[in-house]
Amino acid sequence: MAYTVGQVAKAARVTVRTLHHYDEIGLLSPSGRTAAGYRRYDDADLERLQHVRFYRELGFPLEEIAAILDDPTADPAAHLRRQHDLLTGRIGKLQEMVAAIEIAMEARRMELKLTPEERFEVFGDVDPEEHAEEARERWGDTEAYRVSTQRAANYSKEDWLRLKAAQEEWGGRIVAALTAGTPADSAEAMALAEEHRQLIVGWFYDCSYEVHTGLADMYLADPRFTAHYEAIVPGLTEYLAEAIHANAISRA
Amino acid sequence: MAYTVGQVAKAARVTVRTLHHYDEIGLLSPSGRTAAGYRRYDDADLERLQHVRFYRELGFPLEEIAAILDDPTADPAAHLRRQHDLLTGRIGKLQEMVAAIEIAMEARRMELKLTPEERFEVFGDVDPEEHAEEARERWGDTEAYRVSTQRAANYSKEDWLRLKAAQEEWGGRIVAALTAGTPADSAEAMALAEEHRQLIVGWFYDCSYEVHTGLADMYLADPRFTAHYEAIVPGLTEYLAEAIHANAISRA
DNA sequence: TTCCGGCCTGCCGCGACGTGAGGGTCAAGC
DNA sequence: GCTTGACCCTCACGTCGCGGCAGGCCGGAA
């Protein structure tokens, strides 16, 4: 089977220009040309294009894609594995961000519960219970939401204040460690990381070392969290993340 | 609190050049300058930067980000919701791709089971059971893998051939419908879409209408699938996807 | 005073295409 | 056989989101 640029473009959902470009840089040259100079793609070309598009959608530069596809040591199974790994990695990152946002949302709801007199300012005449209902409808079926909600929903104002106090006490000690120049991979810093994890386990959800390192990476990646920590003292995010990683490694 | 470009850059994990760029195009201008012309960022600037980075990492163009952030009708809660929706959407897409790859991997393993004499050609002297073990270790804890494996692992050669025959019979009919010009939203095409879904339910996993439309979108997005369908007859991918969507809508 | 690191403003470059301009090709219908 | 319109070709310049460097000005520490 032979196809023209237009047909290939339509099938693969790319523009003709893109195919021209791939030809120019030698990433995907059609297997032949007609007498008039028209590009002719065959099934093998199409298959290569599929792979190109896959890696491209995950943000790989074209040069790197060429290297991957032209690697003679990689069989089809290896490609599948690599693609699977890439996807699960991406999903993991996104899920961490989701968890962070869900926590942020939860915090907002808690805040509102604690200061009911503010509810009118924020919501006007809308009942916050209604708002909670809407939230449940929208993402009530994600697990993180359920877990964090079930525990946190029952926290009283006193619980909340105790948590805050515990966090602040811990925060003071890690800031001290950082400003004192204690290395992030020292036993002291790692102990602080472990305390951080225990705080999460105790108050929110069962946080494994693996999840904890994921959380650390998220602190680094998510602006809302870096803002939080950097506002306390510059470099704290990185310090904490390093300590968490070191702690997780030492326990593995 | 006021920060210099360098401090902000480090905290937000971007380069100074990026901050200069954001300033140039007016996306994020520091709230002030020192007497010497040094940029001075405050906490509000930092917060804005976090949001910029968030949307940027999801691939939004800067202009669009500016529009989102400068939208006067969006409160913080609305931003959280939008971000949550975006993330879950992305995760869904990626998970569909993962499922597709897992099925492709499963198909490969089946293929190997069916023709054991080929195993030496492909694996050399490696035992395929070992390979399967490795696969379990790598992604044994994802749900799609477990479900598809548990069912498909027990398929005999006869089962596999029956599945293939059923698929081909169905394939013949949808190609006929397409070439006959039957509209994708006609009752006939929708019935074929429904049969497609039932085939999945019967042989692999419980596929809801929602999952089915997701699958259809993936067919369009994933090159490996478009290749498969377009090779049969050009336009088939789109036709099937449309029919699936129409079917799902009509059942909702 | 003299460093050295950090900041400034240009300005050129790059990757991955988008978007014409100007012109040849091909199948269909008259 | 000829026109017409859709499709193809090759330049070639434009865009987006920065990276990187030059040439020069600050600012705190030794």
Side-chain angles (χ1 to χ4, degrees):
Chain A
M1 270 288 214
Y3 313 88
T4 68
V5 260
Q7 288 172 323
V8 173
K10 208 178 165 193
R13 327 232 109 202
V14 298
T15 67
V16 169
R17 180 65 180 87
T18 299
L19 294 174
H20 285 176
H21 184 60
Y22 291 169
D23 190 3
E24 271 173 37
I25 64 170
L27 173 59
L28 176 62
S29 298
S31 55
R33 296 264 188 155
T34 69
Y38 283 27
R39 273 164 256 254
R40 305 254 80 185
Y41 294 85
D42 66 13
D43 287 325
D45 296 332
L46 234 90
E47 201 180 330
R48 188 177 169 89
L49 178 56
Q50 339 291 11
H51 286 103
V52 170
R53 284 280 95 197
F54 178 91
Y55 288 110
R56 193 78 261 283
E57 259 174 53
L58 293 184
F60 281 72
L62 297 183
E63 202 172 333
E64 206 166 320
I65 294 173
I68 292 170
L69 297 186
D70 295 336
D71 179 2
T73 71
D75 60 314
H79 277 305
L80 285 175
R81 263 187 306 217
R82 154 178 262 140
Q83 292 176 347
H84 194 279
D85 288 357
L86 279 168
L87 288 173
T88 49
R90 288 294 166 95
I91 289 174
K93 272 198 178 180
L94 292 177
Q95 277 172 341
E96 282 160 15
M97 292 174 78
V98 166
I101 288 184
E102 280 168 352
I103 286 170
M105 294 192 312
E106 197 58 33
R108 279 185 61 82
R109 271 187 52 206
M110 289 304 128
E111 207 52 40
L112 289 171
K113 272 197 180 171
L114 287 177
T115 60
E117 67 278 15
E118 281 181 16
R119 101 161 62 135
F120 297 100
E121 275 183 352
V122 180
F123 281 108
D125 52 352
V126 179
D127 186 354
E129 273 315 294
E130 207 177 286
H131 177 249
E133 191 52 55
E134 183 198 355
R136 252 193 300 283
E137 273 175 33
R138 290 182 79 103
W139 41 76
D141 50 353
T142 67
E143 192 158 351
Y145 183 79
R146 251 185 276 124
V147 172
S148 84
T149 302
Q150 286 184 6
R151 280 230 226 164
N154 300 320
Y155 286 171
S156 66
K157 178 169 181 173
E158 285 70 40
D159 288 330
W160 209 246
L161 290 177
R162 280 203 300 130
L163 168 58
K164 207 175 162 191
Q167 280 181 336
E168 279 172 0
E169 193 270 336
W170 170 86
R173 282 186 291 134
I174 194 166
V175 166
L178 169 58
T179 52
T182 316
D185 58 352
S186 67
E188 191 187 335
M190 276 159 54
L192 282 164
E194 180 60 19
E195 276 193 64
H196 179 261
R197 197 180 69 85
Q198 291 296 345
L199 226 54
I200 297 172
V201 172
W203 287 87
F204 296 106
Y205 55 90
D206 185 27
C207 177
S208 68
Y209 291 105
E210 211 182 334
V211 170
H212 201 210
T213 58
L215 210 61
D217 294 339
M218 190 266 298
Y219 286 162
L220 291 172
D222 191 313
R224 271 178 308 290
F225 280 80
T226 56
H228 176 62
Y229 284 104
E230 295 301 319
I232 300 168
V233 61
L236 181 54
T237 324
E238 218 167 326
Y239 184 70
L240 173 59
E242 265 189 64
I244 288 175
H245 272 279
N247 184 51
I249 290 168
S250 83
R251 312 265 172 169
Chain B
M1 270 284 212
Y3 313 90
T4 69
V5 262
Q7 289 172 321
V8 173
K10 207 177 165 195
R13 327 234 107 203
V14 297
T15 68
V16 170
R17 181 65 184 82
T18 299
L19 293 175
H20 284 175
H21 184 62
Y22 291 170
D23 190 3
E24 271 172 40
I25 64 170
L27 173 59
L28 176 62
S29 297
S31 56
R33 297 261 188 157
T34 69
Y38 283 27
R39 272 164 256 253
R40 305 256 81 188
Y41 294 84
D42 64 13
D43 287 324
D45 297 331
L46 234 92
E47 200 180 333
R48 187 176 170 91
L49 176 57
Q50 340 289 12
H51 286 103
V52 169
R53 286 279 94 197
F54 179 90
Y55 288 109
R56 193 78 260 286
E57 259 177 53
L58 293 184
F60 282 72
L62 298 182
E63 201 173 334
E64 206 166 321
I65 295 174
I68 292 169
L69 297 186
D70 295 337
D71 179 1
T73 71
D75 59 313
H79 278 304
L80 285 175
R81 265 188 306 220
R82 150 179 265 139
Q83 292 175 346
H84 193 278
D85 289 355
L86 277 167
L87 289 172
T88 50
R90 289 294 167 97
I91 289 174
K93 273 198 176 177
L94 292 177
Q95 277 172 343
E96 282 160 16
M97 293 175 77
V98 165
I101 288 183
E102 280 167 354
I103 286 170
M105 294 191 313
E106 197 57 35
R108 279 186 62 81
R109 269 188 52 206
M110 290 302 127
E111 208 50 40
L112 289 172
K113 270 196 183 170
L114 289 177
T115 61
E117 68 277 15
E118 282 182 14
R119 101 162 60 134
F120 297 100
E121 277 184 349
V122 180
F123 280 109
D125 53 352
V126 179
D127 185 354
E129 274 314 296
E130 209 176 283
H131 176 247
E133 192 49 56
E134 185 198 351
R136 252 192 299 283
E137 272 175 30
R138 290 179 81 99
W139 43 77
D141 51 352
T142 67
E143 192 160 352
Y145 183 79
R146 253 185 276 124
V147 172
S148 85
T149 303
Q150 286 185 5
R151 280 230 226 165
N154 298 322
Y155 286 171
S156 66
K157 178 171 180 173
E158 285 71 40
D159 287 330
W160 208 248
L161 291 177
R162 281 202 301 126
L163 169 57
K164 209 177 162 191
Q167 279 180 337
E168 280 172 0
E169 193 269 336
W170 171 85
R173 283 186 290 133
I174 194 168
V175 167
L178 170 57
T179 54
T182 316
D185 59 351
S186 68
E188 193 187 333
M190 276 159 55
L192 282 163
E194 179 61 18
E195 275 192 64
H196 179 262
R197 197 179 69 86
Q198 291 297 343
L199 225 56
I200 297 173
V201 171
W203 287 86
F204 295 106
Y205 55 91
D206 186 28
C207 176
S208 68
Y209 291 105
E210 211 181 336
V211 170
H212 200 209
T213 58
L215 210 59
D217 294 339
M218 191 265 297
Y219 286 162
L220 291 172
D222 191 314
R224 271 178 311 289
F225 280 80
T226 56
H228 177 61
Y229 285 104
E230 296 300 319
I232 300 169
V233 60
L236 182 54
T237 324
E238 217 168 325
Y239 185 70
L240 174 58
E242 263 190 65
I244 288 175
H245 272 280
N247 184 51
I249 289 167
S250 84
R251 312 264 172 171

